[in-house]
Amino acid sequence: MWLNKALRAATTLRRTLGDSWAVALGLMAHYLFTALTLIALARRLTPDEYGQYVASVALASFLVALPNYGLDTWLLGRGGDQAGAVAALWRKALALRAALLMAWAAGMALLAIRLPPETYPRPVFAGIVAGTALESLALLTLTALRAMQAHRRVALIQAIWAALALGTALLLPLAPGRLALFTTVRAILAGGVALWLALAMARRPAATGLSLSMGDLLRQGQSFLLSDAAALVYMRADLVLVGLLLGPAGASIYGPALSVLNVALIVPTSLFYTAVPSLAQAFVRDATSPGAHSFGAQARRQLALQTGLGVVIGLGLWGAAPVLVWLYGPAFVATVGVLRLLAPIGLLRSLNYALAAQLIARQRQARRTLTQMAVAVFAVVGNLLVIPEWGVAGAAFIFVAGETLLCLGYFLNNRTY
């Protein structure tokens, strides 16, 4: 019997790792091409213009959590449903998101009037807002495909999309003063991807008789909205506040460090995307088949794997910081020290992905949300206190401290299986 259990565990791990590596390759291409796009912009524009772009993207990506309404994580957590049910849920979620994004775009137009133009030039900011909204629609469809276990297809789409963005940065006649041209073309590209994905997804058969109303969707999405908003606060408030308090010069130092960090976290992120629907299925299976105990074993394997990856990533960030940041050019040499301060996040974020996947799969999203909201408050207050005094180094310290608190909170909510 123990041999059969070992074989089943090995098969499950191999299948999960196969999906995870497919996701990892897609994310690797996505983040690599995105990083190369930023490098191309940094070398073809002035440092201040690069800082304007990074600060504007950070602010738009931060505020888009409101119209996103947590629907991506909510839909990903429905990975235990049949493909037809996921397709039906996607249609309702897409309609709700489109309506919310239109209201959000109007609000962002009003906000642009109050923002300092030296950090957020209006033509640049308008293109980034449009692109962010259209990307949000495309990402919801990609999430539905992930929930259907179509990880390889999502990986391919991500890679092609990011490669097209890189080609845009390289082929457009960019020069100092022409940043708005890139943000406009980037928005057009996002719109084309979103439309193509929506048309392809609409052809999939959807389950009929779905009882979920828009009111139900709004109620179910509330905790995920708070969760995603809190996550964006503690992960991106630092860059937003650096841009607001230190201007484009500070954003041009801190932004590249975050870009390199995101590239380094590709594999842990991919494991999270594949673990959530897989763990959700195991949790449902355990509930319907007492004695199966597949969720606990799967969760422990995932935690061990993420821990090992996190150690390697953290050490790699520390040692390779000078080489990685050198790619951006001599104007960004100050980023080396910032990236080394952020190196512990390699381990902390890997652990947080593992523990968060378990909470989502076990339908403990409310507990996760409360933890995230507490860390979000800490991040905002902490950054407001330290950035004026310590600059980007203070922002990095608060980032690491917030991830540590998040890890502790997730662990306490996952003490038992």
Side-chain angles (χ1 to χ4, degrees):
M1 180 174 292
W2 65 268
L3 181 59
N4 290 333
K5 289 184 178 180
L7 290 173
R8 284 197 300 270
T11 301
T12 301
L13 180 61
R14 185 172 62 253
R15 184 170 57 249
T16 301
L17 286 177
D19 288 338
S20 297
W21 283 112
V23 175
L25 290 174
L27 289 175
M28 189 178 299
H30 170 75
Y31 284 121
L32 177 60
F33 288 138
T34 300
L36 292 174
T37 300
L38 293 174
I39 292 171
L41 292 177
R43 289 185 172 273
R44 303 186 71 185
L45 305 170
T46 67
D48 276 355
E49 285 178 316
Y50 178 81
Q52 290 169 350
Y53 177 77
V54 170
S56 298
V57 169
L59 182 59
S61 301
F62 174 68
L63 294 177
V64 81
L66 295 173
N68 282 351
Y69 207 75
L71 296 176
D72 296 280
T73 311
W74 171 80
L75 192 58
L76 190 65
R78 301 298 293 261
D81 295 350
Q82 296 295 323
V86 173
L89 293 172
W90 166 80
R91 295 181 185 217
K92 289 183 176 291
L94 186 69
L96 175 59
R97 175 164 292 185
L100 294 174
L101 282 170
M102 286 189 287
W104 175 78
M108 293 296 283
L110 296 176
L111 176 63
I113 300 174
R114 307 294 300 174
L115 292 173
E118 62 274 11
T119 305
Y120 306 94
R122 289 179 187 173
V124 172
F125 191 66
I128 288 174
V129 167
T132 302
L134 293 167
E135 286 172 4
S136 174
L137 295 174
L139 291 175
L140 183 66
T141 306
L142 291 178
T143 299
L145 290 172
R146 288 193 194 280
M148 295 176 179
Q149 306 292 332
H151 299 294
R152 290 171 174 80
R153 184 173 303 174
V154 173
L156 180 61
I157 294 170
Q158 282 184 308
I160 294 174
W161 186 1
L164 291 173
L166 173 59
T168 299
L170 293 174
L171 298 177
L172 282 178
L174 295 181
R178 306 196 69 179
L179 177 57
L181 174 63
F182 173 75
T183 61
T184 301
V185 176
R186 172 178 173 265
I188 294 172
L189 174 62
V193 173
L195 179 61
W196 174 69
L197 284 173
L199 292 175
M201 189 70 175
R203 289 196 292 267
R204 288 176 172 262
T208 58
L210 190 67
S211 60
L212 186 71
S213 65
M214 282 295 179
D216 295 330
L217 185 56
L218 286 169
R219 283 189 293 273
Q220 290 186 22
Q222 285 177 359
S223 62
F224 292 96
L225 166 63
L226 294 174
S227 173
D228 285 359
L232 283 171
V233 167
Y234 62 72
M235 288 195 296
R236 298 189 181 179
D238 50 357
L239 182 55
V240 172
L241 291 175
V242 163
L244 289 171
L245 299 175
L246 303 180
S252 68
I253 295 173
Y254 197 66
L258 294 182
S259 297
V260 172
L261 179 64
N262 287 333
V263 173
L265 291 169
I266 288 172
V267 177
T269 304
S270 66
L271 285 173
F272 170 77
Y273 283 129
T274 55
V276 171
S278 178
L279 286 171
Q281 291 176 354
F283 185 75
V284 171
R285 189 163 53 248
D286 286 359
T288 56
S289 303
H293 303 300
S294 60
F295 177 85
Q298 222 174 300
R300 285 187 287 270
R301 286 195 300 270
Q302 184 214 13
L303 180 60
L305 183 58
Q306 290 277 37
T307 301
L309 284 171
V311 171
V312 173
I313 291 169
L315 293 175
L317 285 170
W318 175 269
V323 177
L324 293 172
V325 179
W326 171 82
L327 293 171
Y328 285 83
F332 299 89
V333 68
T335 306
V336 174
V338 177
L339 183 57
R340 282 183 164 170
L341 290 175
L342 294 173
I345 293 179
L347 173 60
L348 293 169
R349 182 66 63 78
S350 298
L351 291 173
N352 287 335
Y353 276 142
L355 297 172
Q358 296 173 29
L359 288 172
I360 295 171
R362 299 170 71 189
Q363 305 298 315
R364 293 188 177 183
Q365 177 62 31
R367 298 188 187 187
R368 177 180 177 233
T369 300
L370 289 175
T371 304
Q372 289 175 303
M373 291 176 66
V375 174
V377 172
F378 168 81
V380 172
V381 175
N383 278 303
L384 288 173
L385 291 175
V386 305
I387 289 177
E389 182 69 23
W390 301 103
V392 293
F397 172 79
I398 293 298
F399 196 173
V400 173
E403 289 285 339
T404 303
L405 293 175
L406 191 69
C407 186
L408 177 62
Y410 284 174
F411 174 76
L412 292 176
N413 284 308
N414 268 306
R415 286 180 296 178
T416 59
Y417 290 116

